[in-house]
Amino acid sequence: MLKNSKDITIDELISCVSNLKYRGFRFVTASCADNRDGTFSLYYHFDKQLELENIALTVSRDTAIPCITTLYLCAFLVENEMKELFGLTIENIAIDYEGRMFLTEDAPREPMTYGANILIERKEEES
Amino acid sequence: MEDNSFNSLIPFGPQHPVLPEPIQIKLVLEDEKIISAEPAIGYVHRGLEKLAEKKDIHQSIYVVERICGICSFMHALCYCQGLEELTGTEVPPRARYLRTIWGELHRTHSHLLWLGLMADSYGFESLFYQCWRIREKVLDIMEATAGSRVIISANILGGVRRDIGPDMLGHIQKTAKEIADSLRDIEKVFLNDYTVCHRTQGIGILTKEEAYELGAVGPVLRASGVPQDVRSLGYAAYGELDFEPATETAGDSYARTKVRLKELRNALSLIIQAAEKIPEGEISVKLARKPEGETVSRLEQPRGECLYYIKANGTDVLSRVRVRTPTFANIPALLKMLPGHQLSALPVILLSIDPCISCTER
């Protein structure tokens, strides 16, 4: 569990983010981690005068996560990143890259998930 | 009178003479005026966060160092600080000072590199050469102290790999003073030259409220009047050194240049102070235990606040390493700065955030 972290449910996300915005917090970023049990931990990080506050929630792959770009437009990049790299369902992102922000068509799907078939191979040395 | 203006869509980048790295800005123009902009990234995505989950905690230092060539030391430091917190390891004071010296050397060479690129963006080639000529002195120090010019691999978990002797510390102080003297000449040009001022003043304005709202960081945020600098938290040896965040209020490209010039002087002052005050003692300790739990580690890179979210599971391989780099945070602010300007101002505005796309995409 992170320091200065508050556990919330998905239904509380928008009201909680609104509250932080009202209190003058700046959106820093969001982080996502695969819990390896079919769920994902999501953290939204906010900052005010260098004090970091975190909102934590646990979601499953199919949970419809409301986007927070209506409150913090700058969240659109990280929301696209989480949607693309973890396969999360984030709805109505202000600028939605539809899974093509980082990844090309032939790239592995949801590469940051635990079960993703990512092989690390050493390149053959050129003679 | 008939309105003959029309909108056109122009893809700027990913290959463009002014861009040091690949990003595409999709521009909607009305004649030559920018109406809106949308970024397209993904040209250098390398999946380094995933790689850091495949390597052990010591090998991953080399992985995170390669997120960015320019601030490689800072990435390693942010990562190490996070793991040191998770393992309850106290870094020896001498190592904290050495980290500060190398960190500020990185800030110095990064800002000088940026000043050169900025000069290049408005076609001032001789100024570009002068900035990079001064930068060479910093790279020489890094080579002499760590064996490499840019990716110096000086950080290890629990401290630093190498010490700096008293003679070299004296040389570093002397060189920092020489660089501070050399800065006077280029400062005059950046701050007073008619052409430079014409290209930067009033260009790409970001108000204080916009900068804060859009999550801007580093010199972009401070040039809009927000005195936020993560070094104020006192990590490494910053809490024991005299330091004030550099700020400006105009929020334009000129203010961002001015902030970086002030930060150069601050960085040189911090290097001199740290070299004077550095205590004797060990330069590293072993980690107290295996890392377990979650943490957020932050520090101030040359381009702004960098954040690492680290999740560990009690083994030598981490469950998650998430990196939020400064340019990632500054892209929304860039999109706000562009509309209303002529296409010719785009290179200057884009360079004014000091974009690092390798960092952004990881």
Side-chain angles (χ1 to χ4, degrees), chain B residues 24-296:
Chain B
Q24 187 182 65
I25 311 280
K26 291 174 184 165
L27 300 164
V28 176
L29 301 179
E30 186 184 287
D31 292 335
E32 289 281 308
K33 193 170 83 178
I34 300 169
I35 303 298
S36 68
E38 192 179 303
I41 54 178
Y43 298 98
V44 284
H45 177 62
R46 293 156 290 160
L48 292 178
E49 289 181 0
K50 189 72 180 176
L51 187 57
E53 293 172 14
K54 300 271 183 184
K55 302 287 180 186
D56 77 32
I57 51 174
H58 302 281
Q59 292 169 328
S60 289
I61 299 174
Y62 300 103
V63 175
V64 298
E65 276 176 343
R66 276 145 187 85
I67 288 174
C68 177
I70 304 304
C71 45
S72 61
F73 181 86
M74 310 285 214
H75 277 288
L77 179 54
C78 199
Y79 169 84
C80 288
Q81 286 185 164
L83 279 172
E84 285 152 7
E85 190 189 323
L86 283 178
T87 54
T89 306
E90 193 165 333
V91 176
R94 189 172 179 85
R96 290 193 287 106
Y97 274 78
L98 289 169
R99 283 175 169 184
T100 305
I101 292 171
W102 274 312
E104 291 309 311
L105 284 169
H106 265 71
R107 192 178 318 279
T108 309
H109 98 76
S110 175
H111 279 359
L112 284 165
L113 178 135
W114 175 82
L115 284 167
L117 293 174
M118 187 66 173
D120 186 49
S121 77
Y122 33 74
F124 207 145
E125 294 294 325
S126 57
L127 186 56
F128 163 62
Y129 296 143
Q130 291 303 325
C131 295
W132 282 35
R133 181 181 61 78
I134 299 169
R135 177 175 174 257
E136 279 301 304
K137 291 182 180 177
V138 186
L139 300 183
D140 287 345
I141 292 175
M142 295 216 273
E143 188 172 10
T145 53
S148 306
R149 284 160 56 86
V150 181
I151 300 184
I152 63 173
S153 292
N155 276 299
I156 54 172
L157 295 171
V160 290
R161 187 182 307 282
R162 292 166 185 258
D163 203 350
I164 301 179
D167 291 347
M168 181 51 75
L169 285 170
H171 172 70
I172 291 171
Q173 284 178 296
K174 183 171 157 279
T175 310
K177 285 171 189 161
E178 284 171 12
I179 294 171
D181 288 340
S182 312
L183 281 181
R184 270 192 221 116
D185 297 329
I186 60 167
E187 268 172 346
K188 277 183 207 162
V189 184
F190 277 109
L191 300 179
N192 303 322
D193 182 87
Y194 174 80
T195 311
V196 174
C197 292
H198 188 69
R199 295 298 305 272
T200 56
Q201 285 180 346
I203 301 295
I205 293 175
L206 189 71
T207 65
K208 187 177 182 179
E209 292 73 26
E210 287 167 346
Y212 197 79
E213 174 86 17
L214 292 169
V217 295
V220 176
L221 181 64
R222 291 191 285 277
S224 295
V226 182
Q228 177 148 324
D229 190 316
V230 184
R231 287 177 289 177
S232 307
L233 290 173
Y235 66 88
Y238 291 108
E240 294 149 42
L241 303 173
D242 188 23
F243 151 77
E244 280 287 322
T247 54
E248 283 292 317
T249 53
D252 56 5
S253 301
Y254 182 80
R256 292 189 276 279
T257 307
K258 213 169 171 183
V259 163
R260 290 191 180 95
L261 285 165
K262 284 182 185 175
E263 286 189 358
L264 266 174
R265 292 214 170 270
N266 281 350
L268 295 166
S269 162
L270 284 164
I271 291 166
I272 293 167
Q273 288 180 57
E276 264 169 16
K277 291 185 179 174
I278 187 167
E280 292 296 328
E282 290 179 313
I283 58 165
S284 67
V285 291
K286 285 192 170 175
L287 290 185
R289 57 174 184 269
K290 300 267 189 199
E292 185 151 29
E294 295 168 279
T295 191
V296 167

Side-chain angles (χ1 to χ4, degrees), chain A residues 4 45 74 84 90 118:
Chain A
N4 296 338
H45 312 285
C74 55
E84 190 168 319
I90 303 178
I118 305 290

Side-chain angles (χ1 to χ4, degrees), chain A residues 33-41 112-115, chain B residues 50 53-54 311 313 315 317-320:
Chain A
D34 187 342
N35 294 331
R36 304 179 183 189
D37 59 0
T39 65
F40 297 86
S41 290
M112 288 305 293
T113 52
Y114 181 58
Chain B
K50 189 72 180 176
E53 293 172 14
K54 300 271 183 184
K311 185 174 182 180
N313 53 18
T315 71
V317 180
L318 297 170
S319 301
R320 178 81 172 109

Side-chain angles (χ1 to χ4, degrees), chain A residues 1-3 21 24-36 41 43 45 47-52 54 71-74 76-78 81 85-86 95 97 100-103 111-114 116 118 120, chain B residues 38-42 45 49-51 53-55 85 211-217 221 228-230 232-233 294-296 298 305 307 309 311 313 318-324 328-329 331-332 335 360-362:
Chain A
M1 188 66 176
L2 283 180
K3 280 183 207 163
K21 183 162 185 175
F25 276 81
R26 189 173 68 94
F27 177 72
V28 178
T29 193
S31 303
C32 180
D34 187 342
N35 294 331
R36 304 179 183 189
S41 290
Y43 286 105
H45 312 285
D47 164 290
K48 187 177 179 185
Q49 292 171 350
L50 293 175
E51 280 294 314
L52 203 63
N54 308 293
L71 294 160
Y72 290 99
L73 177 66
C74 55
F76 79 90
L77 284 173
V78 72
E81 184 178 315
L85 302 186
F86 286 90
I95 302 174
Y97 289 87
R100 292 283 178 272
M101 188 168 89
F102 287 136
L103 302 180
M112 288 305 293
T113 52
Y114 181 58
I118 305 290
I120 297 169
Chain B
E38 192 179 303
I41 54 178
H45 177 62
E49 289 181 0
K50 189 72 180 176
L51 187 57
E53 293 172 14
K54 300 271 183 184
K55 302 287 180 186
E85 190 189 323
Y212 197 79
E213 174 86 17
L214 292 169
V217 295
L221 181 64
Q228 177 148 324
D229 190 316
V230 184
S232 307
L233 290 173
E294 295 168 279
T295 191
V296 167
R298 288 194 291 172
E305 173 197 64
L307 179 146
Y309 162 76
K311 185 174 182 180
N313 53 18
L318 297 170
S319 301
R320 178 81 172 109
V321 180
R322 148 97 177 116
V323 186
R324 201 298 314 272
F328 195 87
I331 286 178
L335 303 182
T360 304
E361 301 193 9
R362 294 150 277 141

